[in-house]
Amino acid sequence: MLTLTHVSKNFGKFTAVHDISLSIPPGEIFGFLGPNGAGKTTTIKLIAGLMKPSEGSITIDGHDVHRDPVQAKQRLAYIPDEPYLYEKMTGRECLELIGNLRNISTATIRQRINQLVDLFGIDQYLDQYTEDYSHGTRQKFVFASAFLTRPALLLIDEPLVGLDPQHAHLVKTVLRQIATDNQVTIFMSTHTLSVAQEICDRIGIIHEGKLVACGNLQELQQLAHDRDGDLEELYLKLTGNLHRESLVW
């Protein structure tokens, strides 16, 4: 469904993403982990078509993101780490705009909005201007806007930022459901290792722009030569950040 072939991204002499090749099939939740500055967000922006790779290619359902951008982008939805909404519009207007841009019928837009409002418990905010929303409410509306379009590929940068425990649990449950029942491919960047361990089918670890490991938890444990370690310890080992220093007080 999603294929990256020898993808690199340079900013001058600095290489943010280096020669990443990756294939993710329909219905898989793929977790993308790495330290700050490792290249996670850059990779997601390359997939979303917001940046052009310096080398390599990216295809979504067989459509090249940069040679055939309209067909590719019709199949994806992107949830960034900072939830952006048009501040001089209401939540309802934002959702209707997104539906119209995707050429979804008015009746279907209304039906899906009603479903999503009930799902996320945001009915009381629907006709308020988004500039008055809290960060968590913005995040719920951003998720609602992504689900409204029924994407084949869902890109998420830090999915649970700003969500309370109840809605964090809801999002994890819904992501697992749409991946399993609707074969939606989910590419998810996160710093929350427990989330990746809980819901991801496979995990890729990026370090200094390079994909240093990729596989399910058991495969990563074998790679790190530590079958008894949890994902946090494995991640730290694979990125060279495992230190056992004591605090001097």
Side-chain angles (χ1 to χ4, degrees):
M1 201 297 161
L2 172 64
T3 303
L4 287 76
T5 306
H6 298 297
V7 172
S8 296
K9 179 62 180 178
N10 303 320
F11 296 97
K13 295 182 179 180
F14 174 69
T15 300
V17 174
H18 179 72
D19 196 28
I20 289 182
S21 292
L22 184 64
S23 182
I24 305 175
E28 179 171 283
I29 301 180
F30 186 87
F32 201 47
L33 307 182
N36 290 332
K40 300 187 301 300
T41 297
T42 299
T43 302
I44 284 184
K45 288 183 176 180
L46 290 169
I47 297 170
L50 299 176
M51 293 180 178
K52 185 176 181 179
S54 303
E55 297 178 17
S57 64
I58 302 168
T59 60
I60 298 173
D61 199 19
H63 298 278
D64 189 283
V65 171
H66 297 282
R67 294 180 181 176
D68 192 8
V70 174
Q71 290 295 324
K73 292 177 183 180
Q74 283 179 343
R75 288 160 171 78
L76 71 87
Y78 172 39
I79 299 175
D81 56 346
E82 286 293 330
Y84 176 81
L85 297 168
Y86 294 104
E87 294 191 344
K88 298 304 180 183
M89 300 177 71
T90 66
R92 186 191 303 275
E93 289 170 340
C94 285
L95 294 172
E96 289 176 343
L97 174 62
I98 290 167
N100 289 326
L101 289 172
R102 290 298 184 98
N103 295 317
I104 303 172
S105 70
T106 300
T108 301
I109 291 173
R110 290 174 180 170
Q111 179 186 24
R112 292 180 182 177
I113 287 176
N114 290 335
Q115 292 172 344
L116 292 164
V117 163
D118 289 340
L119 178 66
F120 287 103
I122 50 178
D123 54 314
Q124 69 268 37
Y125 306 107
L126 190 58
D127 294 305
Q128 295 180 14
Y129 288 109
T130 65
E131 64 183 351
D132 297 324
Y133 291 173
S134 68
H135 184 91
T137 300
R138 285 174 176 265
Q139 188 78 341
K140 294 170 194 175
F141 270 92
V142 169
F143 266 99
S145 67
F147 293 159
L148 177 73
T149 65
R150 300 295 193 268
L153 170 64
L154 183 59
L155 303 177
I156 315 175
D157 199 352
E158 293 298 338
L160 306 183
V161 172
L163 296 178
D164 57 52
Q166 178 182 357
H167 285 93
H169 175 75
L170 172 66
V171 165
K172 290 186 290 185
T173 301
V174 172
L175 292 179
R176 183 72 269 171
Q177 178 184 338
I178 63 175
T180 301
D181 297 346
N182 304 101
Q183 290 297 286
V184 175
T185 300
I186 299 172
F187 187 99
M188 180 178 68
S189 169
T190 180
H191 283 111
T192 310
L193 302 182
S194 60
V195 173
Q197 189 166 359
E198 182 179 352
I199 70 171
C200 292
D201 301 300
R202 283 193 302 155
I203 295 167
I205 297 178
I206 185 172
H207 182 52
E208 296 180 346
K210 299 178 181 180
L211 191 64
V212 296
C214 183
N216 58 35
L217 182 60
Q218 182 180 5
E219 291 168 339
L220 293 180
Q221 287 173 330
Q222 292 173 348
L223 182 62
H225 305 292
D226 187 357
R227 287 181 174 273
D228 298 324
D230 61 13
L231 182 58
E232 181 179 20
E233 187 168 353
L234 296 171
Y235 166 81
L236 293 173
K237 281 188 174 183
L238 291 169
T239 57
N241 290 315
L242 183 61
H243 302 289
R244 300 187 182 277
E245 299 175 354
S246 299
L247 174 65
V248 178
W249 195 260

